[in-house]
Amino acid sequence: MAINDFSAIIQLAATLCIAFVTVEYVRSFIGVLCERFFKFQDFIAKSFQECRDILTDRDTLEHIEPIVIEGKSTNPEIEEVKRQNEALSKEIEEEEKRKNEEVKISCQVRSMSSLCFFLFLMSVLILLLGGVEKKYSDTSHSLVTILIVLSIIYLVYGWCVGENEYPKKFRDFSSLRHSFMGFVVISLLSVIITCAVFVWMPTLISTFNYVWWFSLVVFVVFIYLNFIVFTFKIKNKAIAFKTKVNESKTSLIGKCQEAEKKVEDLRGLSRLNARLQSD
């Protein structure tokens, strides 16, 4: 078995990774997940439809007959509830539109492009090592194993802290520069460790020759796992956003119920007046 035996699957993974380095691809990915997979647009639409369903429709409002009580007409109150209902309908529409825009922003993942760039660089380096494997098999197998171990540590750490809203300088996984520097440091560190193994711990070389292919399989799995991890990160962000939608819905429902109470009072008076006149 050789590194080049994995070249096709590594090349495919590298192609996917470099595509997601572009911010627009990440945004499209998030948009597709939110709209078609998690169906958050449907959730938003249903949430605000609950508010609309509380309000009396305009035709019904137009048929509320004004009455005179103790010399005072209810017409000003009827016109007031019409204006209030119209204002609430507009507020619901604007809030729904705003939440549809906000969900795309709230679900953004800061570190996806950076980590995909890192995985792309590491995949290219491993493919290059496959070119010298026949001539320097011990060195390439040892170096690949160490590279992969350090890369997985970097990747997992990026998953854990990459979405920090206020990242520190040396763990800013939202920056492509950070991932490039991480790649350089890991590459140099791997070369140093490999040289140290050959000089001071040559017995480990046989171990690397035995496990390198397993580490390569694990690396390929982690490349594809990266997309799954970010899918769940996006889902968690969107679920958190649901709380904001529910808060807006609850606030609007309260306003709609208050407005509807006034409408029901006026309709009740109108029905009572119509019944008294018929008697």
Side-chain angles (χ1 to χ4, degrees):
M1 187 176 291
I3 294 174
N4 286 334
D5 293 335
F6 296 87
S7 62
I9 194 168
I10 294 175
Q11 287 169 10
L12 175 59
T15 302
L16 287 172
C17 287
I18 196 61
F20 280 89
V21 171
T22 306
V23 175
E24 290 304 319
Y25 276 97
V26 175
R27 288 177 180 171
S28 298
F29 177 65
I30 293 170
V32 169
L33 284 178
C34 288
E35 183 177 352
R36 300 185 183 179
F37 192 70
F38 300 133
K39 297 185 182 299
F40 284 107
Q41 273 73 14
D42 289 345
F43 168 76
I44 292 171
K46 289 177 182 177
S47 295
F48 289 104
Q49 187 59 42
E50 289 181 39
C51 302
R52 292 189 181 93
D53 291 341
I54 295 173
L55 295 175
T56 301
D57 62 90
R58 184 152 187 91
D59 286 342
T60 302
L61 290 175
E62 292 294 340
H63 285 85
I64 298 177
E65 293 294 334
I67 63 173
V68 177
I69 301 175
E70 296 183 354
K72 293 183 178 180
S73 174
T74 59
N75 191 60
E77 284 73 17
I78 293 173
E79 293 302 318
E80 175 62 26
V81 296
K82 288 179 181 179
R83 288 193 296 269
Q84 190 173 15
N85 272 35
E86 186 176 347
L88 282 171
S89 295
K90 186 177 180 180
E91 185 178 352
I92 291 169
E93 183 180 349
E94 290 176 351
E95 186 65 14
E96 182 179 2
K97 183 178 179 181
R98 185 158 49 246
K99 291 304 178 188
N100 275 314
E101 292 299 321
E102 284 180 13
V103 71
K104 299 174 184 177
I105 299 172
S106 298
C107 295
Q108 292 297 322
V109 279
R110 298 179 179 86
S111 56
M112 187 173 187
S113 293
S114 177
L115 289 177
C116 283
F117 184 50
F118 171 80
L119 290 172
F120 167 75
L121 294 173
M122 200 56 64
S123 298
V124 171
L125 180 56
I126 290 172
L127 289 172
L128 291 175
L129 288 173
V132 299
E133 181 183 16
K134 288 184 179 180
K135 190 172 182 179
Y136 305 103
S137 60
D138 289 347
T139 303
S140 59
H141 291 165
S142 300
L143 186 55
V144 161
T145 304
I146 296 168
L147 274 171
I148 289 171
V149 170
L150 294 178
S151 296
I152 289 175
I153 293 172
Y154 178 88
L155 183 63
V156 173
Y157 184 65
W159 290 344
C160 295
V161 304
E163 297 307 305
N164 194 318
E165 190 172 352
Y166 302 104
K168 294 184 179 179
K169 183 177 180 180
F170 295 106
R171 59 179 189 185
D172 184 8
F173 284 88
S174 63
S175 167
L176 293 180
R177 182 175 181 274
H178 182 278
S179 61
F180 178 75
M181 293 306 298
F183 166 75
V184 172
V185 170
I186 288 174
S187 299
L188 292 175
L189 191 57
S190 298
V191 171
I192 293 170
I193 294 173
T194 301
C195 292
V197 167
F198 272 79
V199 174
W200 290 298
M201 293 175 287
T203 53
L204 283 178
I205 296 173
S206 60
T207 302
F208 288 139
N209 281 326
Y210 180 73
V211 302
W212 72 268
W213 66 270
F214 177 75
S215 65
L216 194 54
V217 170
V218 171
F219 177 71
V220 171
V221 170
F222 266 77
I223 292 177
Y224 291 99
L225 183 61
N226 183 56
F227 295 102
I228 298 174
V229 167
F230 276 104
T231 297
F232 279 100
K233 281 181 176 288
I234 293 166
K235 180 181 179 182
N236 289 337
K237 283 175 176 282
I239 289 174
F241 183 74
K242 273 187 175 182
T243 304
K244 295 182 179 180
V245 174
N246 285 326
E247 288 173 356
S248 295
K249 181 184 75 172
T250 302
S251 175
L252 286 169
I253 283 177
K255 293 179 181 179
C256 291
Q257 287 174 338
E258 186 178 344
E260 187 61 15
K261 185 177 182 300
K262 295 178 182 178
V263 173
E264 285 302 315
D265 289 343
L266 289 169
R267 291 179 67 189
L269 287 172
S270 181
R271 285 194 296 267
L272 178 60
N273 182 63
R275 191 161 56 248
L276 290 174
Q277 287 181 351
S278 64
D279 292 341

